[in-house]
Amino acid sequence: MSSLELTYNSFKNRISDVNKKDILFKLTKSFLFAAMVFIAFALILILSEAFFGFSPVIRKMFFFGYISAFASTVIISLAIAYIKFKDSKNSRQVTTYAKRVGTHYPEIKDNLINAIQIYDYTKKKTHIFSNDLISESINQINEATKPYDFKKIISFKKINAVALLTGASILIFTFLLTVFPSLLEASNRIINYNFTFVENTLGIAYEVSPGNIEITKGSSVEINAKVLFNDPNYSTDKISLSTKNITGDGIEISSSNEDVSAAGKNEFKA
C-alpha cells in the first residue's frame, strides 16, 4: 500500500469511526423506543385477555404474533446496522460525515472537505500533482485536525430521556402485574395458550394427610384426602391420584396415576 493510501486511510478511519458510533447511537435509540412500544403492546394484549377471556386459538395468535413482531424488529434492526457498518468506509459516507463533523467544528470544515477532494483528484488519470505531494497535503490536514475528537459529536447523553422513559415503562408494567393478579393470570393464559382455563367458582380445595413426609423404600402409608367446595351440596365420586418414586438425590425413577373412588362424601383413601 502506498504512502498516500496509508495517510488517507488514517484520516478516513477517524471519520468512519464517527459513522460507526452514530450507527450504535441510532440502534440503541431504536431499541429503546421499540421496547416501549412492545411493552405497551403486551399490556394491551393482557388487558384484552383479562376482560374478554379469549379462546386458546386467539391466545395462540396473540402469543406468536407478539413473538414474531418482536423477533422481526430485532433481526431487521441488527441487519440494517450491520449493512451500515459494512458501508461506513464508503466514499459517500465519509464525505457525509466529514461535513457533519465540519458543522460542529467550523474552523476545520474546509480542511476535511479539501482532504477528500484532493484524494479523489488522485483517482483521475489526468492529475498533474505527484502522489507524494498529495500525501503530504493530506497528512498535514490529518495532523492539524488531530486535536479534535471527531467522535464527540455523537453523544449518548441525548438518549438519556428515552432510556428513563423505557425504564419507567418496565417498572409500571411490572407494578401492574404485581398489584393486579388478574393481569398476571391473563399473561399466564396467553403464554400457556394451549390450555383451557376454568373459573374456580366452586372454590375447590383439598385437605390431605399425612402431608409432606418421607418414607423408606418398601413401606406404605395411608393417604386421606377430603375435597372442599363452596357449595356444600356439591360432591364428587372420583379423584385422580398421582404418585412418584424419587431417590434421595431427587431423581424420579417411576410414576403412576390412578383413579380413587370416594370412601364417603368427598372423602377418599388410598
Side-chain angles (χ1 to χ4, degrees):
M1 187 178 290
S2 68
S3 106
L4 172 61
E5 295 292 336
L6 289 171
T7 302
Y8 183 72
N9 283 342
S10 173
F11 173 76
K12 182 174 69 174
N13 287 339
R14 292 176 61 204
I15 296 176
S16 64
D17 285 345
V18 180
N19 188 358
K20 291 175 181 176
K21 186 176 180 181
D22 193 35
I23 293 168
L24 288 175
F25 172 84
K26 290 177 179 176
L27 181 64
T28 304
K29 187 176 181 179
S30 66
F31 276 158
L32 290 173
F33 274 117
M36 285 191 286
V37 170
F38 278 103
I39 288 171
F41 186 32
L43 187 58
I44 291 171
L45 293 180
I46 291 170
L47 285 170
S48 299
E49 169 60 23
F51 279 107
F52 302 109
F54 297 107
S55 67
V57 174
I58 301 299
R59 295 202 304 270
K60 185 176 182 179
M61 292 173 61
F62 281 177
F63 180 79
F64 282 104
Y66 185 88
I67 295 298
S68 299
F70 180 81
S72 298
T73 300
V74 172
I75 292 170
I76 292 172
S77 297
L78 290 175
I80 292 172
Y82 176 75
I83 292 170
K84 288 182 176 179
F85 253 97
K86 295 283 286 184
D87 197 43
S88 62
K89 292 186 179 181
N90 179 282
S91 178
R92 177 175 52 82
Q93 291 295 326
V94 172
T95 302
T96 298
Y97 278 87
K99 291 178 180 178
R100 186 167 174 181
V101 171
T103 59
H104 284 76
Y105 303 115
E107 63 273 22
I108 62 170
K109 180 178 181 179
D110 291 339
N111 289 340
L112 298 177
I113 302 302
N114 287 341
I116 296 171
Q117 290 175 340
I118 291 171
Y119 179 77
D120 289 341
Y121 172 74
T122 65
K123 298 302 178 182
K124 297 180 179 180
K125 292 181 179 180
T126 57
H127 76 272
I128 59 175
F129 298 109
S130 70
N131 284 352
D132 289 340
L133 180 61
I134 294 173
S135 175
E136 181 58 29
S137 297
I138 294 175
N139 187 53
Q140 288 178 2
I141 294 172
N142 194 30
E143 291 297 321
T145 59
K146 273 190 175 178
Y148 299 89
D149 185 356
F150 294 168
K151 290 190 291 185
K152 280 188 176 180
I153 71 170
I154 308 296
S155 175
F156 279 86
K157 291 181 180 179
K158 293 180 180 179
I159 56 174
N160 282 350
V162 181
L164 288 173
L165 283 173
T166 304
S169 300
I170 295 171
L171 289 175
I172 292 171
F173 182 76
T174 305
F175 174 78
L176 291 174
L177 292 184
T178 304
V179 173
F180 300 101
S182 59
L183 295 183
L184 185 61
E185 291 169 4
S187 66
N188 179 57
R189 292 197 297 272
I190 293 174
I191 293 171
N192 298 288
Y193 55 83
N194 273 337
F195 293 94
T196 299
F197 294 85
V198 179
E199 288 285 340
N200 186 16
T201 54
L202 294 173
I204 301 174
Y206 294 89
E207 287 184 356
V208 181
S209 62
N212 187 22
I213 63 171
E214 292 185 5
I215 59 174
T216 58
K217 184 177 180 181
S219 60
S220 62
V221 63
E222 185 178 78
I223 300 173
N224 296 285
K226 185 175 183 179
V227 185
L228 306 175
F229 300 99
N230 285 340
D231 184 351
N233 296 318
Y234 195 88
S235 65
T236 182
D237 298 325
K238 184 172 61 177
I239 63 172
S240 180
L241 174 66
S242 299
T243 60
K244 294 181 181 180
N245 287 323
I246 301 175
T247 67
D249 298 327
I251 300 173
E252 182 181 325
I253 56 177
S254 66
S255 64
S256 65
N257 289 282
E258 60 178 300
D259 291 332
V260 179
S261 299
K265 185 178 180 181
N266 297 330
E267 295 182 352
F268 301 85
K269 291 183 180 182

